[in-house]
Amino acid sequence: MTIALAQLEQYLNYYLESSQIKDYCPNGLQVEGKSEINKIVTGVTACQALIDAAISQHADAIIVHHGYFWRGEEPVITGIKRHRIKALLDNDISLLAYHLPLDVHPLVGNNVQLANLLGITVDKTLNPDDHSIIGLQGHLPRELSVSEFAEKVEQALGRKPMVVDNGKPVQRVGWCTGGGQGYIDQAVLAGVDLFLTGEASEQTFHSAVENNISFISAGHHATERYGIKALGEHLENLYDIDIQFIDINNPF
Ligand SMILES: [Zn+2]
């Protein structure tokens, strides 16, 4: 099966409601390649290694969570950005990127997918009064110790997390995939037992200790593999096209 690039983009924009979400980057088609697509590669970040893998797989399009053209970045196309974009254009490969729309989607979003993986039942958003705040809160089927829950995270993500354990059992969890460490304050306000995110900053440790909340930093990449993977599976069921998720190892 093949699909027209225009149809693919139109469907993704519709499904992920990208026009309704304010973001730090353009969501949708970022680099235009050939108009007919036979094979799609998906991945977390449009890094050179993912592009090289897509070229060797003869992909016609790449769909990622982290694309290009971030607010505040140098707008010129030099250095690694030139190499990446040149490789895409030379090989006629389109790049489609969905950032926040793929964090917050109720079915294939990173946050919902991570909950599924960790056996957390979603209750509501981290702050139901403020929709600009990404992240969710939910509960585990039974209380676990922080180390039991951390073990579960390690098993699921294949990476040892950083843990702040306040010694209390965990049942209510708040989480935000990726660089969500700043939302620890929202998790404290929500009254959850533990906050999980991808990244941690130096100050996150003190915030966790002084607010008496347990905290897990499980990796930006590791917590954000599952949205794009689920999106690819969704597209494969819908359009019967060849879609391959490629995980480029990233310890951060
Ligand atoms: Zn991210």
Side-chain angles (χ1 to χ4, degrees):
M1 276 280 289
T2 66
I3 182 173
L5 173 62
Q7 188 192 351
L8 176 69
E9 192 203 7
Q10 194 180 34
Y11 177 73
L12 286 171
N13 289 350
Y14 152 77
Y15 183 62
L16 299 172
E17 299 183 296
S18 56
S19 65
Q20 288 165 55
I21 296 168
K22 263 202 195 136
D23 210 334
Y24 315 98
C25 63
N27 288 302
L29 183 62
Q30 293 193 335
V31 178
E32 186 179 354
K34 63 187 70 131
S35 57
E36 285 294 320
I37 292 166
N38 280 296
K39 163 123 193 169
I40 298 174
V41 158
T42 60
V44 178
T45 300
C47 60
Q48 190 69 51
L50 183 71
I51 297 168
D52 293 345
I55 293 168
S56 66
Q57 296 294 318
H58 306 288
D60 307 303
I62 302 174
I63 311 173
V64 293
H65 178 50
H66 300 136
Y68 305 150
F69 313 119
W70 299 91
R71 192 199 295 162
E73 99 181 6
E74 283 291 332
V76 295
I77 299 174
T78 57
I80 65 168
K81 203 163 152 195
R82 171 198 176 240
H83 284 281
R84 291 169 171 187
I85 292 173
K86 185 174 190 306
L88 289 169
L89 293 174
D90 282 351
N91 290 279
D92 229 0
I93 297 174
S94 293
L95 176 68
L96 296 109
Y98 293 90
H99 180 234
L100 295 184
L102 196 55
D103 283 323
V104 301
H105 193 272
L107 294 173
V108 300
N110 279 320
N111 284 293
V112 165
Q113 286 293 321
L114 187 64
N116 294 347
L117 197 68
L118 298 177
I120 305 170
T121 303
V122 177
D123 292 324
K124 51 191 168 184
T125 55
L126 203 49
N127 182 343
D129 297 326
D130 185 346
H131 292 292
S132 71
I133 290 163
I134 314 265
L136 298 172
Q137 51 181 304
H139 64 275
L140 296 167
R142 63 179 182 90
E143 277 187 351
L144 295 177
S145 69
V146 172
S147 56
E148 284 170 329
F149 183 66
E151 177 64 32
K152 205 176 167 69
V153 171
E154 182 174 348
Q155 291 290 323
L157 304 183
R159 175 189 187 281
K160 202 165 186 60
M162 285 196 283
V163 180
V164 179
D165 180 351
N166 73 356
K168 294 189 204 158
V170 182
Q171 188 150 29
R172 291 189 59 216
V173 180
W175 67 99
C176 179
T177 63
Q181 63 268 56
Y183 289 144
I184 190 169
D185 297 335
Q186 297 293 329
V188 170
L189 289 174
V192 295
D193 304 314
L194 179 145
F195 180 60
L196 181 152
T197 187
E199 295 187 27
S201 302
E202 193 271 350
Q203 72 225 50
T204 320
F205 172 76
H206 301 294
S207 181
V209 169
E210 291 170 37
N211 283 301
N212 194 20
I213 184 172
S214 291
F215 173 75
I216 291 183
S217 155
H220 190 136
H221 174 89
T223 55
E224 295 200 322
R225 281 186 201 117
Y226 305 96
I228 190 71
K229 204 163 173 253
L231 181 66
E233 286 158 8
H234 171 80
L235 284 176
E236 199 162 32
N237 289 331
L238 202 65
Y239 289 114
D240 189 29
I241 33 175
D242 185 6
I243 303 188
Q244 187 183 356
F245 171 74
I246 298 180
D247 192 34
I248 303 293
N249 180 46
N250 182 339
F252 296 143

